[in-house]
Amino acid sequence: MTLRADPADAPPAPTRIRRFSRAERWVHRTTALLMGVCVLTAAFLYVPELARLVGRRELVVRVHEWAGLALPVPVLAGLASRAFRADLGHLNRFGPHDRRWLRAALRRDKRAESRPAGKFNAGQKVYAAWIAGATLVMLGTGLLMWFTHLTPIMWRTSATFVHDWLALTIGIVLAGHIGMALGDPEARRGMRTGSVSPDWADREHPLWRR
């Protein structure tokens, strides 16, 4: 005779699923703060209407420079966290499901079954790769603009051109990133508290949930 398990003996389903460690949330918050300072100070330096509101332009320049130099520090410090290193590995790998996700996004197909995703979807992976590369370019061109006596004038002129236009592009991409976050309260809760609901994980990141 086969004995059936009593449903009452089954372990309770988790009410929340751990998604991010404390170290990962610290890296995200600190990086977001420094990036926000860079974007805000850049706006005060380049938008005439905002520049007129600043009494000490030299101070704004110094804050912008030091915030830019500090931008890679949280990520470098986060490498001490095993969870953070593991997530960098997830972000750095593209699989067949990611290509499927991107094709669905281009078709504006929002069905969950058309957008399979692991811990990070393909859009998040593309954003992470782009913003990491853009940050390195901004850091390099910013240093060329800061230490003007070390490089030829053509280098400084080219660095200024790239720095200014890439800064505008970063501002637009960040606005899109923030807009996506505002449209997903559970994703924001996961970054704020470190855990998400099982229903959200099953819907948005089914491969990770499995």
Side-chain angles (χ1 to χ4, degrees):
M1 182 176 63
T2 302
L3 297 178
R4 294 185 178 180
D6 188 346
D9 296 334
T15 56
R16 305 290 293 176
I17 301 173
R18 184 178 180 85
R19 182 162 172 82
F20 295 115
S21 67
R22 182 178 300 178
E24 291 173 290
R25 302 198 305 274
W26 176 86
V27 170
H28 185 269
R29 291 169 184 170
T30 310
T31 303
L33 176 62
L34 290 171
M35 184 68 77
V37 171
C38 287
V39 172
L40 185 61
T41 51
F44 275 97
L45 290 173
Y46 287 101
V47 179
E49 291 77 11
L50 295 177
R52 284 194 287 269
L53 299 177
V54 181
R56 299 180 62 185
R57 179 180 174 84
E58 187 64 24
L59 176 61
V60 178
V61 172
R62 293 293 169 257
V63 172
H64 181 80
E65 291 171 342
W66 285 106
L69 283 177
L71 199 53
V73 173
V75 174
L76 295 176
L79 293 176
S81 165
R82 180 180 299 176
F84 182 71
R85 295 197 305 272
D87 274 357
L88 288 181
H90 291 309
L91 285 168
N92 197 41
R93 294 191 186 97
F94 273 77
H97 62 281
D98 293 308
R99 290 189 288 272
R100 182 180 170 190
W101 192 100
L102 288 173
R103 287 195 296 268
L106 292 174
R107 296 194 309 266
R108 298 184 180 276
D109 184 352
K110 297 183 179 181
R111 293 176 300 167
E113 60 272 18
S114 300
R115 296 192 179 193
K119 186 170 186 180
F120 302 101
N121 62 45
Q124 292 168 327
K125 293 178 180 181
V126 170
Y127 169 78
W130 186 88
I131 201 68
T135 299
L136 292 176
V137 173
M138 292 294 285
L139 181 61
T141 54
L143 289 172
L144 289 177
M145 295 164 62
W146 193 354
F147 298 102
T148 56
H149 60 287
L150 297 180
T151 55
I153 187 170
M154 180 172 289
W155 288 24
R156 300 196 301 269
T157 303
S158 301
T160 302
F161 178 83
V162 172
H163 195 87
D164 291 352
W165 282 102
L166 186 55
L168 178 61
T169 307
I170 288 175
I172 295 172
V173 172
L174 284 178
H177 177 68
I178 294 171
M180 294 290 289
L182 291 176
D184 194 340
E186 188 62 25
R188 297 200 312 273
R189 190 176 296 114
M191 185 55 70
R192 187 176 67 253
T193 66
S195 63
V196 295
S197 70
D199 290 341
W200 180 88
D202 288 334
R203 184 178 67 254
E204 300 293 336
H205 300 272
L207 301 181
W208 170 63
R209 172 66 167 139
R210 294 172 192 167

